[in-house]
């Protein structure tokens, strides 16, 4: 039924078992502007590697196997906070990204932060507070 609706914002919250194998759900959400995933056991996010037209993505207090390797060309704002079992940052391809909030995830960065880490040169806001060891090696090369 979602495919027949025009949706601007979509939020899923507090699901203990969520199947990412249902690609029909995400195909119906491809044109949504804002996606919020709150307190969900997500595991792996292979379904999100597709280039949806999302502009704002929030993943808050979710359970992951690893940091999602996102490739979303239109994403401008990514909020990834308070997530469980994520310790290593994975490079992303987010060429339109301007706002990145990665606070409170226990992430470690060995050589942060340049445009190659985030896949964008447009980044204007970056929050890495309350994580593990962050080593600044690139000094924000190529970032606004």
């Amino acid at each position: 039924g979602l495919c027949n609706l025009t949706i601007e914002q979509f939020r899923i919250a507090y699901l203990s078992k969520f199947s990412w194998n249902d690609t029909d759900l995400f195909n119906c959400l491809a044109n949504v502007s804002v996606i919020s995933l709150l307190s969900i056991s997500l595991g792996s996010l292979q379904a999100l590697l597709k280039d949806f037209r999302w502009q704002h993505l929030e993943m808050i207090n979710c359970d992951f196997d690893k940091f999602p390797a996102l490739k979303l060309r239109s994403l401008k704002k990514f909020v990834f906070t308070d997530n469980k079992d994520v310790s290593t940052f994975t490079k992303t391809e987010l060429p339109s990204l301007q706002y990145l909030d990665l606070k409170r995830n226990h992430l470690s960065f060995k050589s942060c932060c340049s445009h190659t880490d985030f896949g964008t040169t447009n980044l204007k806001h970056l929050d890495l507070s309350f994580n593990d060891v962050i080593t600044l090696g690139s000094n924000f090369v190529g970032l606004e």
Side-chain angles (χ1 to χ4, degrees):
L2 286 175
C3 289
N4 298 325
L5 299 173
T6 301
I7 302 171
E8 186 175 319
Q9 296 184 15
F10 187 81
R11 179 176 290 211
I12 301 173
Y14 301 104
L15 292 178
S16 59
K17 293 183 182 178
F18 186 75
S19 174
W20 288 97
N21 295 328
D22 188 2
T23 56
D24 289 339
L25 170 65
F26 287 101
N27 288 333
C28 290
L29 299 174
N31 294 318
V32 174
S33 295
V34 179
I35 298 285
S36 296
L37 307 173
L38 311 167
S39 299
I40 299 175
S41 181
L42 295 169
S44 178
L45 294 176
Q46 296 305 316
L48 291 181
L49 297 178
K50 185 176 178 181
D51 192 21
F52 294 122
R53 293 184 191 103
W54 302 342
Q55 293 183 21
H56 182 146
L57 174 61
E58 293 182 349
M59 298 176 177
I60 301 171
N61 195 31
C62 294
D63 189 9
F64 289 92
D65 291 339
K66 59 184 178 178
F67 190 89
L70 299 174
K71 297 178 184 178
L72 299 168
R73 298 189 58 75
S74 61
L75 195 68
K76 293 180 181 176
K77 184 173 183 175
F78 182 36
V79 177
F80 186 85
T81 60
D82 295 308
N83 294 294
K84 300 173 183 76
D85 299 327
V86 178
S87 61
T88 304
F89 179 80
T90 302
K91 289 186 179 186
T92 59
E93 290 182 33
L94 306 170
S96 299
L97 193 68
Q98 297 176 6
Y99 183 101
L100 181 59
D101 185 348
L102 297 174
K103 69 179 167 271
R104 295 190 302 265
N105 288 301
H106 305 288
L107 288 173
S108 293
F109 285 86
K110 292 183 180 175
S111 180
C112 183
C113 298
S114 76
H115 65 91
T116 58
D117 294 322
F118 308 119
T120 185
T121 58
N122 298 316
L123 196 63
K124 296 176 184 172
H125 174 92
L126 175 63
D127 188 344
L128 296 171
S129 59
F130 303 103
N131 278 293
D132 284 344
V133 177
I134 308 288
T135 304
L136 298 177
S138 301
N139 296 328
F140 307 100
V141 172
L143 295 174
E144 268 189 52

